[in-house]
Amino acid sequence: MKIAVCIKRVPDMEARFQIAATGTSVDETGLKFDINDFDAWGVEAALQIKDKDPSTEVVAISLGADSVQEVIRKALSMGADRGVHLKTDGIPFDGFAIAQALAAEIKDGGYDLVFFGKKSPDSNNGVVGVVVAEMLDMPVVTAISKLDIAGNVGTAKREIEGGQEIVEFPLPAVLTVDEGLNTARYPSLKGIMAAKKKPLEVKPATVGEQSVNITSLELPPERAAGRIIGEGAGAVSELINLLQTEAKVL
Amino acid sequence: MANIFAFAESRGGELKKIAFEAVTAARSLADKTGGSVHALLVGAPGIAAKSSELAKFGADTVIVVEHAAFEKYNPEALAAVAAERIKSGDYKVVIFPSSALGSDLAPRVAAKIGVGLVTDVTGIDVDGDAVVVKHPMNIGKVIGTVKLTAKPAIVGIRANNFTAVENAKSGAVETAQPVGDPSASRVVVKELKLGNTTKLDLGEAPVIISGGRGVKEPENFKMLEDLADAFGNAAVGATRVVTDAGWRPHSDQIGQTGRLVSPDLYIAVGISGAIQHLAGMRTSKTIVAINKDKEAPIFKVADYGIVGDLFEIVPELAKAVKEVKARG
Ligand SMILES: Cc1cc2nc3c(=O)[nH]c(=O)nc-3n(C[C@H](O)[C@H](O)[C@H](O)COP(=O)(O)OP(=O)(O)OC[C@H]3O[C@@H](n4cnc5c(N)ncnc54)[C@H](O)[C@@H]3O)c2cc1C
Ligand SMILES: Nc1ncnc2c1ncn2[C@@H]1O[C@H](COP(=O)(O)O)[C@@H](O)[C@H]1O
């Protein structure tokens, strides 16, 4: 089996973000970056298939500036076989444009499965995986939290509002990963050493014209500071009063 | 003339609340552009009966597609028919829900049409030829203003952000056919497992009661269910600690990697208020926190906090809410 996993380098969301001087991007000074969690679960899903069938090849692909090689190395140290860096000046906001570049790379790769994350937390789009699948005319199942592959047929569980869908699909296929599918393994020391010798191919990529563009960013208004209205069950009547008269939600 | 297209989400023959929000959002745009609102309603035979409900919220035309293969979500066939209708309609804006279904469907349709899209938007406006949306990024810590320059501008709307408002229009029904054979999709939903179907959906409920590790045991969620029942319009959510432990299904998880919700009232019970949890609920209109630790970060965002033992406070609150509701 041959599996591709598309991984994105994203900032740690615990940070206090500031808007850069350009006004259209986040100031990256002091931010910590790592592989998107959803994508790490995608790598893990691929590696679990490889654990069962060691002949499986797992390829980690990331688009962006040279800095994305960090997350490719991380995937390699987890156990992926090789990496592809699609080199651009930066990561555009437009998921459609990202998808075009990724689809061009994946197209003739002969992959049986291509994993994506459900979404990236920074751009908050959740579109790249599906758009790639459509461009390559591959079946796609999104936001999966369980996966079984038997021969050329896969079964996945998809979390939906108030329940789950059990979805069947033929391989080759694209899957986007939701939380719950697995827990990503940590790179072992041995894995980190091995990763240094694994192939990481750098390919210049072009990002096409973007039809969705950020024109400005702002920090949301702070929520008014919290207020403790009392202690214990005795505070319930005051809460009811405030919900009725002040918040008007009861 | 710049018409607006709205996808009307349904499940099991019933329209979802976000269908009305999508039509309402489309209506207010159409009123600005002078165009009309076309809603797409797809389902098993019988779904056509729901078109009048869409008219009530401002649909000028309801395009109805009925086929037995649309009983469950049929992503490929649905995307095919939606893309075909949109291509043949010359729309300025196309509105999808950013629900589980809409998040799957909208990028399929955008790719078929060959344009970019913006999902999870909290505001939409037209600006000359362009369409401008508000789009929360970085787990809501940054708000983007994004310009869509391709036509149509495809957007996904966040639930509970566009209040559905009645504004009756004719809602003329136009019957359409599926594209190809909808029974021949490669991706097939074999089974739909719904929890308690009588309970409101987290994305739709005006009130959410959410429980964290402090609730201690899965059985104790009964207490939160009782409080939800007292409100009558509430759903129960949870933190990742709770869904990881298997006390509640993952689909109930609220936060960075779970659901994004913004109800009118969010009651956090035994929840510390980790940043990843806040990411999913901080835009709630009113937040109440019940926690025994007065230093818990949840109190920093709670409009009303009560410090104390949830096992004493929650039943008392349920009783009090029931009394208020009984008085009417
Ligand atoms: C990448 C990443 C993604 C994540 N995504 C999510 C997500 O989507 N959603 C999410 O929720 N979390 C998420 N988390 C986890 C998050 O960091 C926290 O661990 C989690 O939200 C804590 O859950 P909790 O509040 O239930 O538990 P705790 O933090 O343990 O808090 C329990 C609270 O209950 C209170 N308590 C205990 N007993 C009582 C009592 N008898 N009466 C009143 N109060 C009591 C305690 O004082 C405490 O404040 C994520 C973490 C990471 C790293
Ligand atoms: N620059 C990128 N390089 C590689 N994969 C990406 C990139 N951007 C997005 N992806 C993939 O697409 C998924 C969804 O991203 P998005 O549509 O931006 O939310 C991510 O979880 C990744 O799997």
Side-chain angles (χ1 to χ4, degrees):
Chain A
M1 185 108 77
K2 204 171 164 192
I3 305 176
V5 189
C6 291
I7 58 177
K8 185 177 178 187
R9 174 182 183 263
V10 299
D12 180 356
M13 290 299 138
E14 303 237 5
R16 191 177 269 278
F17 293 102
Q18 297 295 336
I19 312 301
T22 57
T24 54
S25 64
V26 163
D27 182 357
E28 296 197 350
T29 327
L31 293 183
K32 284 184 289 181
F33 285 81
D34 204 343
I35 179 172
N36 178 8
D37 285 306
F38 292 106
D39 305 353
W41 298 322
V43 174
E44 177 63 33
L47 293 177
Q48 287 184 6
I49 293 171
K50 186 179 167 74
D51 289 344
K52 282 194 215 140
D53 173 5
S55 72
T56 302
E57 186 189 24
V58 177
V59 182
I61 305 172
S62 192
L63 174 144
D66 285 339
S67 51
V68 306
Q69 291 187 11
E70 295 159 22
V71 295
I72 299 178
R73 285 286 171 211
K74 181 161 184 182
L76 296 177
S77 60
M78 286 170 72
D81 297 289
R82 60 183 180 89
V84 177
H85 171 203
L86 299 178
K87 190 175 156 105
T88 57
D89 288 341
I91 304 178
F93 171 73
D94 186 348
F96 190 87
I98 296 173
Q100 275 175 322
L102 291 173
E105 171 59 27
I106 293 163
K107 189 165 185 271
D108 298 317
Y111 295 106
D112 302 285
L113 286 172
V114 186
F115 285 101
F116 289 84
K118 174 174 87 167
K119 69 172 172 185
S120 32
D122 51 350
S123 59
N124 183 30
N125 282 327
V127 308
V128 172
V130 180
V131 174
V132 167
E134 283 287 337
M135 286 172 172
L136 302 178
D137 194 24
M138 289 169 80
V140 51
V141 184
T142 62
I144 66 166
S145 61
K146 197 170 182 303
L147 173 67
D148 290 301
I149 305 283
N152 276 327
V153 179
T155 309
K157 187 168 88 175
R158 225 173 89 69
E159 302 291 336
I160 61 168
E161 294 87 355
Q164 292 96 32
E165 287 172 343
I166 310 299
V167 186
E168 215 174 81
F169 60 94
L171 272 55
V174 171
L175 299 167
T176 83
V177 175
D178 200 350
E179 188 167 24
L181 182 63
N182 56 44
T183 310
R185 66 192 67 186
Y186 288 104
S188 66
L189 196 58
K190 196 170 143 233
I192 295 170
M193 296 313 287
K196 294 189 173 145
K197 295 192 207 86
K198 289 180 178 171
L200 196 172
E201 195 183 349
V202 182
K203 296 181 175 180
T206 36
V207 176
E209 202 191 325
Q210 296 172 52
S211 68
V212 301
N213 286 285
I214 296 173
T215 57
S216 67
L217 291 179
E218 60 196 327
L219 301 177
E222 290 281 336
R223 256 197 110 84
R227 167 154 68 118
I228 289 177
I229 59 163
E231 287 189 19
V236 164
S237 57
E238 174 63 359
L239 175 60
I240 294 283
N241 176 35
L242 288 165
L243 291 178
Q244 287 188 292
T245 57
E246 197 178 82
K248 300 191 168 47
V249 287
L250 183 64
Chain B
M1 199 186 60
N3 292 341
I4 315 293
F5 180 97
F7 177 78
E9 180 172 345
S10 61
R11 188 196 284 175
E14 294 298 328
L15 288 165
K16 304 290 280 181
K17 182 175 154 209
I18 198 159
F20 304 115
E21 294 171 2
V23 170
T24 299
R27 184 73 257 160
S28 61
L29 288 174
D31 287 345
K32 269 187 212 158
T33 62
S36 4
V37 173
H38 296 185
L40 177 64
L41 176 61
V42 183
I47 197 77
K50 298 290 165 190
S51 51
S52 58
E53 292 180 31
L54 297 172
K56 215 189 289 170
F57 287 84
D60 298 290
T61 303
V62 182
I63 305 164
V64 179
V65 182
E66 294 188 330
H67 192 288
F70 287 124
E71 187 182 337
K72 294 201 202 73
Y73 180 43
N74 185 340
E76 294 185 342
L78 194 48
V81 72
E84 190 201 56
R85 299 310 306 187
I86 294 163
K87 275 190 217 161
S88 64
D90 188 33
Y91 295 105
K92 185 172 182 74
V93 185
V94 170
I95 301 177
F96 283 99
S98 278
S99 56
L101 185 152
S103 301
D104 184 277
L105 180 63
R108 290 177 190 267
V109 173
K112 284 183 194 301
I113 295 173
V115 295
L117 73 161
V118 186
T119 61
D120 198 27
V121 310
T122 53
I124 316 174
D125 211 344
V126 288
D127 174 14
D129 277 341
V131 172
V132 176
V133 297
K134 290 283 176 208
H135 173 68
M137 299 169 65
N138 295 42
I139 67 170
K141 290 178 167 186
V142 175
I143 309 295
T145 301
V146 182
K147 197 171 199 165
L148 296 91
T149 41
K151 195 173 174 220
I154 301 186
V155 303
I157 58 167
R158 182 181 280 202
N160 258 337
N161 253 273
F162 297 84
T163 313
V165 184
E166 291 196 20
N167 182 354
K169 298 286 166 192
S170 66
V173 172
E174 186 189 318
T175 307
Q177 294 308 312
V179 177
D181 178 6
S183 318
S185 298
R186 296 170 298 185
V187 173
V188 178
V189 176
K190 287 282 171 188
E191 198 186 332
L192 179 61
K193 291 186 178 173
L194 294 178
N196 193 335
T197 49
T198 59
K199 287 275 183 304
L200 275 174
D201 198 87
L202 276 177
E204 301 193 337
V207 178
I208 292 177
I209 320 291
S210 219
R213 194 200 306 266
V215 179
K216 291 197 172 67
E217 286 181 35
E219 294 71 35
N220 296 339
F221 268 84
K222 173 79 172 60
M223 221 169 49
L224 274 59
E225 300 279 358
D226 288 346
L227 178 55
D229 288 342
F231 275 98
N233 56 352
V236 175
T239 63
R240 179 159 100 171
V241 168
V242 167
T243 56
D244 270 358
W247 301 354
R248 307 290 290 183
H250 179 73
S251 53
D252 287 358
Q253 179 179 321
I254 291 166
Q256 179 178 333
T257 45
R259 307 278 305 272
L260 306 176
V261 297
S262 49
D264 298 334
L265 174 62
Y266 188 91
I267 305 185
V269 180
I271 291 177
S272 60
I275 187 75
Q276 296 89 355
H277 185 75
L278 300 183
M281 44 65 76
R282 70 183 322 145
T283 56
S284 304
K285 276 153 213 118
T286 300
I287 297 173
V288 171
I290 300 169
N291 195 304
K292 68 176 181 192
D293 172 11
K294 70 177 195 316
E295 302 298 332
I298 190 74
F299 286 126
K300 293 208 173 71
V301 299
D303 300 282
Y304 311 122
I306 301 184
V307 179
D309 184 6
L310 68 92
F311 295 95
E312 285 169 22
I313 299 164
V314 173
E316 202 58 38
L317 181 57
K319 213 167 81 193
V321 171
K322 227 174 273 167
E323 278 166 18
V324 171
K325 294 281 180 182
R327 269 186 266 132

